[in-house]
Amino acid sequence: MMDEFSFIEKIKPKIYHQNKLIKGIGDDAAIIRMEEIDTVVAVDTFVEGIHFTKETLTPWQIGYRLLAVNLSDLAAMGATPHFYLVSIVIPDELRDADVIEIFTGMKKLANEYKIDLIGGDTVSGKSLTITITIIGSVPKHKARLRSHARPGDVVFVTGTLGGASAGLDLLLKCISIDCSEHIKEKLIRKHQLPNPRVQFAIQLQEIERIALNDISDGLANELIEIAESSKVMIEIEDDAIPLSSGLHYFPRERIDYYKYFAGEDFELVGAASKTDFVKIKEIAEQLGIAITEIGFVSYNIERNGKVFIRKNGVIQPLQKKGYVHRRSREKK
Ligand code: ADP
Ligand code: MG
């Protein structure tokens, strides 16, 4: 491993974008000054062998994807991102060039959203582990909480679902399907380079109330979180859920798993009033983002906190299976 000083010199931004920054990399801690806004902070960790392997992500993609996942958490709060910090555990066998590549992957997204790397920590250890802390802001009272859904709301999702997990299965070779290499490549890219809905979330700031979650652990899980925190019932139309293109080549039960439980697409799922949904659709359209109404929120003493799926005219409760499935796949 190159010495820590020259490493930090290499990853240190040449210019900072944010005027909220008082002191970036180079002292014992960074300093930011935030006024008249609500500060939003999130953290995520990637561990080699658990969240990625040499087969699934290149070093550049590791950096890109981890920062994308963090940005998605901020988008799900409706926040504008400003800063990030990176704590990295570097194993001896990792090449210096690969460590720099990880940071270069992050920098690609950082430049796109004009956010600044303002600090972190670097230590050596057994397995490559990277933790990103991200800092952003929302205007006062505009954070998009899970508890914000109300009876009568429209439930919607951005983009298409299932593609990222299908892509991961292709990468891990735990499934083989009969379709063109081009389609497979597109699904694999959805896993490797997720597209967080940062700009969309920022543009929504004019709207008074929206409940939002990003789909990291599967649509079922995210919807149940909204239904539970908002103490409402959610009903979803199975047919309405937009699937990533190429998914129809996969076996039927696999598609259902991708659609409801696999997650990792980092799209947004939300609930808003019918009137606000008209504005939300306009905003999505301006940004060229697909948005689909998939269901509605209602109030039912016996069913509040639960999510129901209507499929071929039959209504069934939706279970929170996402996490369990994912863990069992990771252990393989
Ligand atoms: P200290 O000994 O005060 O903790 P360090 O030597 O760990 O300082 O870090 C020096 C500077 O470099 C600090 O500003 C720190 O935030 C930054 N830094 C260290 N590691 C990283 C990293 N992996 N990513 C970004 N900044 C880092
Ligand atoms: Mg330190």
Side-chain angles (χ1 to χ4, degrees):
M1 170 67 191
M2 69 196 112
D3 75 88
E4 200 189 321
F5 181 75
S6 60
F7 165 65
I8 292 166
E9 275 311 304
K10 281 213 174 73
I11 60 165
K12 194 167 145 176
K14 306 268 173 310
I15 50 150
Y16 290 103
H17 303 285
Q18 299 281 332
N19 57 15
K20 294 178 171 58
L21 187 67
I22 309 268
K23 178 77 203 171
I25 289 178
D27 214 306
D28 300 305
I31 308 172
I32 56 187
R33 186 169 293 161
M34 311 265 258
E35 289 166 272
E36 289 303 304
I37 46 161
D38 290 341
T39 305
V40 182
V41 186
V43 61
D44 263 298
T45 297
F46 262 25
V47 181
E48 180 159 27
I50 305 273
H51 301 94
F52 63 90
T53 64
K54 291 190 176 57
E55 285 70 47
T56 63
L57 298 177
T58 65
W60 194 95
Q61 289 168 340
I62 294 169
Y64 187 99
R65 186 165 195 276
L66 181 53
L67 188 54
V69 167
N70 273 262
L71 284 163
S72 179
D73 272 328
L74 252 59
M77 295 303 278
T80 308
H82 303 302
F83 304 109
Y84 65 108
L85 297 98
V86 181
S87 173
I88 184 164
V89 178
I90 304 175
D92 288 339
E93 63 276 12
L94 189 66
R95 294 165 33 212
D96 291 352
D98 289 344
V99 180
I100 298 298
E101 273 293 288
I102 294 173
F103 281 80
T104 311
M106 293 177 193
K107 200 189 274 168
K108 172 75 181 17
L109 269 181
N111 286 340
E112 192 173 324
Y113 295 114
K114 305 229 176 330
I115 62 173
D116 294 323
L117 174 63
I118 59 165
D121 203 16
T122 310
V123 294
S124 44
K126 284 223 171 64
S127 31
L128 174 60
T129 304
I130 311 158
T131 301
I132 296 188
T133 304
I134 192 159
I135 302 173
S137 68
V138 275
K140 278 184 190 170
H141 312 298
K142 287 290 179 76
R144 306 312 188 182
L145 305 187
R146 293 168 183 179
S147 56
H148 281 174
R150 297 286 174 269
D153 280 357
V154 169
V155 176
F156 62 87
V157 289
T158 60
T160 59
L161 304 187
S165 278
L168 179 57
D169 276 356
L170 291 171
L171 274 168
L172 294 173
K173 303 198 167 46
C174 54
I175 198 156
S176 71
I177 55 159
D178 190 17
C179 70
S180 73
E181 286 308 309
H182 174 72
I183 290 171
K184 288 184 191 169
E185 270 309 302
K186 269 179 75 177
L187 292 169
I188 287 172
R189 286 288 169 270
K190 287 202 120 192
H191 167 73
Q192 293 171 327
L193 307 171
N195 187 5
R197 299 305 187 183
V198 177
Q199 219 47 54
F200 175 65
I202 296 171
Q203 304 267 313
L204 295 182
Q205 282 174 0
E206 66 185 74
I207 287 162
E208 205 45 46
R209 171 190 64 80
I210 314 176
L212 272 188
N213 255 357
D214 67 327
I215 308 181
S216 50
D217 295 330
L219 180 65
N221 192 68
E222 313 303 343
L223 285 168
I224 292 168
E225 280 174 5
I226 293 175
E228 284 175 350
S229 329
S230 299
K231 301 185 175 65
V232 293
M233 167 189 165
I234 291 177
E235 195 175 315
I236 298 298
E237 187 65 48
D238 178 73
D239 268 354
I241 300 172
L243 294 183
S244 302
S245 67
L247 234 63
H248 62 277
Y249 289 104
F250 289 74
R252 186 77 253 159
E253 26 0 296
R254 220 48 212 157
I255 297 176
D256 267 359
Y257 163 72
Y258 295 141
K259 168 155 84 167
Y260 288 111
F261 305 114
E264 310 244 320
D265 289 299
F266 300 102
E267 293 296 345
L268 296 175
V269 55
S273 74
K274 285 203 175 80
T275 348
D276 284 339
F277 186 59
V278 175
K279 281 187 264 170
I280 295 171
K281 273 197 291 197
E282 280 169 17
I283 292 167
E285 205 165 297
Q286 279 162 18
L287 293 170
I289 294 173
I291 190 158
T292 313
E293 180 172 346
I294 59 166
F296 60 91
V297 177
S298 58
Y299 185 87
N300 177 317
I301 286 286
E302 258 117 66
R303 293 179 161 189
N304 286 342
K306 298 196 171 74
V307 177
F308 292 80
I309 300 294
R310 184 189 292 274
K311 195 173 183 173
N312 306 324
V314 182
I315 294 189
Q316 285 178 315
L318 185 63
Q319 314 295 343
K320 218 190 223 177
K321 281 190 287 198
Y323 189 64
V324 180
H325 274 246
R326 224 168 40 156
R327 288 304 292 247
S328 61
R329 182 171 66 193
E330 279 161 3
K331 285 207 199 84
K332 270 185 214 157

